[in-house]
Amino acid sequence: MSADVDVSTNNEEAHVLSEGSRKLVTLAVMLSAIMVLLDMTIANVALPHMMGALGVTSNQVTWVLTSYSMAEAIFIPLASFLALKFGIRNLLLISVSGFMVTSALCGQADTIVEMVIFRVMQGAFGASVIPLSQSIMVQIYPANQRGKAMALFSVGVLLGPILGPTLGGIITENMDWRWIFYVNIPVGALCLTLIYFFVKLSNKGKPKIDWPLVIAMTIGIGLLQMVLDRGNDESWFESNTILLSTIISAVAIVYFVGRSLKTKGDIAPVWLLRDRNLAMSCIVMAGFSMGMFGITQLQPMMLEQLLNYPVETTGFAMAPRGLASAVVLLMMARYMDKVDARLLIVIGLSLNAIGTYLMTQYSLEIDLYWILLPSIIQGAGMGLVFAPLSQLAYATLAPQNTIGGAVVFNLCRTIGGSFGISIVNTYFSRIQQQEWHQLGGPLSPTNAALQHAAQAQGTTITDPAFLMQIQNILHQQSTLTAFVYTFGFLLFSYLCLIPLLALFKPKQKLNNE
């Protein structure tokens, strides 16, 4: 059974915090969350520079990203156990300190082996920061201000991964790529200072470790994350490694979930999903993360590979999405506890759908306006989904289950994002290949339109320069079509989430409980 924890002292201490102390704790956990979440995406734009410095191929360098996401996915479920073992404050200090040190080590790495090892350590230390930060926000704000708390926390959660490519592009273009890791040191030092002096929560308990569950969870989630990250590059189940990893992962996850439901332990407490609001919040968050991370994966690809935008310009073009979400959240924070959360989520999902619909109208002639407008609309919608959804997730949970709920909620967010990136990459590549063959199929030496085009340029269809021109046109059109179809797929996924909101407990029932 779950360890018994006396949270009354912590809750009483939380509610008597002065307004100034509460703001400083909020700043500490938000900065910590932004720092960790930035590293999910900040390295993406620096991969080509790392290839030369580390002497690896484009396929090998992606382990810089895969190793971090695998470690994070494995260690997030352990956060509730570790928080009971060491206390929230101590664990947060350890996590931020370890993240700083491993960030410095990543910056010093000279080989791909060193980089992967340090990125695993970095992901392991950073994994607990997000659920701990979210749990602290729930505990330091009274129940009637929980919507405001989740709005403020969501600013950091949404800004981090979205602004990662922007900051990474600026640093990579103007400094050395190693500074994408070194930048964590001063930020981490500020976070440590604020946490040390102002975070007083403990929540220590006497947790019991369930080794069979830990082993099954580590194997299942770790291999799942690896399959999602590497599957498309390895042609999915045509690779024996991917196929075997998928089978082992499925068996391990089934055992891990079954054992968690039976034992109700503190490690990866999926048994908390018996709470309907938490379960529905996790499902909607996983689906929303698929779309959000899918969009943020596709757009830089389109800008750089199809429209030939420089890396730094691409980073700036991505920034308005995060800034719009932050502005909307800050404007709506005071109203979050007064408006039905489900209504806000419907508006947020609708805005994301509208922004994504505009992206399905893209052509090769679009200007910056057509890139920024959908991003701003989507950013506004993201803020109106994430904060109310977080509020609903904890609405019916007992205080002692706050950390466990944060663990499960953020695990769904992480895995949902990984599924989104994997599905988007696979769908895009399949559509691109299909459109290439469909558009290029009719082109042959006897094609009259092709002959006419060659004659109009004063050449023949056997001219290598003319053939290269046709090949480039085929690539552009098939790639553009693949982007548009994939945006359409993500639009459909957003619309599918809206009916699920009817399954949440109504606001009146929440208030009564």
Side-chain angles (χ1 to χ4, degrees), residues 78-382:
L78 295 174
S80 52
F81 169 83
L82 295 173
L84 288 172
K85 182 73 173 176
F86 299 105
I88 290 180
R89 177 177 179 273
N90 292 337
L91 180 58
L92 196 55
L93 288 170
I94 293 169
S95 298
V96 173
S97 301
F99 193 85
M100 286 173 56
V101 172
T102 51
S103 295
L105 291 174
C106 287
Q108 291 290 310
D110 291 320
T111 67
I112 189 63
V113 174
E114 290 179 358
M115 177 61 80
V116 169
I117 291 173
F118 297 147
R119 284 284 279 176
V120 167
M121 295 168 63
Q122 189 187 36
F125 278 110
S128 298
V129 172
I130 307 303
L132 287 180
S133 298
Q134 193 167 27
S135 174
I136 289 171
M137 293 291 286
V138 171
Q139 294 183 62
I140 66 172
Y141 283 85
N144 61 356
Q145 295 184 32
R146 191 165 290 169
K148 174 184 176 182
M150 289 301 95
L152 294 174
F153 177 76
S154 299
V155 172
V157 171
L158 293 175
L159 275 180
I162 292 174
L163 293 185
T166 305
L167 184 58
I170 294 172
I171 293 174
T172 303
E173 289 291 321
N174 297 283
M175 302 169 69
D176 189 86
W177 64 265
R178 297 180 185 275
W179 278 94
I180 65 174
F181 299 111
Y182 293 149
V183 73
N184 291 327
I185 298 174
V187 177
L190 176 59
C191 294
L192 279 178
T193 303
L194 293 172
I195 294 167
Y196 183 83
F197 286 107
F198 297 103
V199 175
K200 305 298 182 183
L201 296 174
S202 175
N203 287 67
K204 273 191 177 183
K206 296 180 179 179
K208 295 179 181 179
I209 191 163
D210 185 342
W211 284 111
L213 186 146
V214 171
I215 294 171
M217 178 206 70
T218 302
I219 294 173
I221 294 179
L223 287 179
L224 173 63
Q225 192 70 34
M226 189 274 288
V227 167
L228 293 174
D229 283 354
R230 306 292 301 173
N232 191 52
D233 294 334
E234 303 290 339
S235 299
W236 289 104
F237 301 126
E238 293 179 16
S239 165
N240 291 331
T241 301
I242 296 298
L243 178 60
L244 182 60
S245 297
T246 303
I247 294 172
I248 296 174
S249 173
V251 173
I253 288 175
V254 169
Y255 175 81
F256 140 63
V257 171
R259 190 170 180 87
S260 178
L261 293 173
K262 180 180 179 181
T263 62
K264 295 184 178 180
D266 303 303
I267 299 173
V270 294
W271 55 272
L272 289 174
L273 292 175
R274 289 173 176 169
D275 181 284
R276 182 171 38 151
N277 271 16
L278 177 62
M280 294 311 305
S281 296
C282 288
I283 292 172
V284 175
M285 176 51 65
F288 181 68
S289 295
M290 288 175 62
M292 182 178 74
F293 282 97
I295 290 285
T296 54
Q297 169 82 359
L298 277 182
Q299 194 168 23
M301 287 170 53
M302 185 189 70
L303 296 180
E304 292 179 21
Q305 298 178 15
L306 186 63
L307 303 180
N308 299 315
Y309 277 45
V311 172
E312 191 171 0
T313 305
T314 297
F316 281 117
M318 296 289 290
R321 181 180 284 106
L323 296 176
S325 65
V327 170
V328 169
L329 283 167
L330 293 174
M331 290 175 57
M332 291 295 297
R334 67 178 65 184
Y335 304 109
M336 285 292 179
D337 297 291
K338 301 175 183 178
V339 182
D340 191 333
R342 295 173 300 169
L343 175 61
L344 294 176
I345 296 171
V346 169
I347 296 173
L349 289 173
S350 300
L351 287 174
N352 274 277
I354 292 170
T356 308
Y357 170 76
L358 293 177
M359 298 175 81
T360 65
Q361 308 303 304
Y362 277 174
S363 70
L364 293 174
E365 285 74 39
I366 59 171
D367 55 18
L368 197 58
Y369 170 83
W370 273 99
I371 295 168
L372 297 182
L373 178 62
S375 296
I376 292 172
I377 295 173
Q378 289 169 340
M382 286 176 182

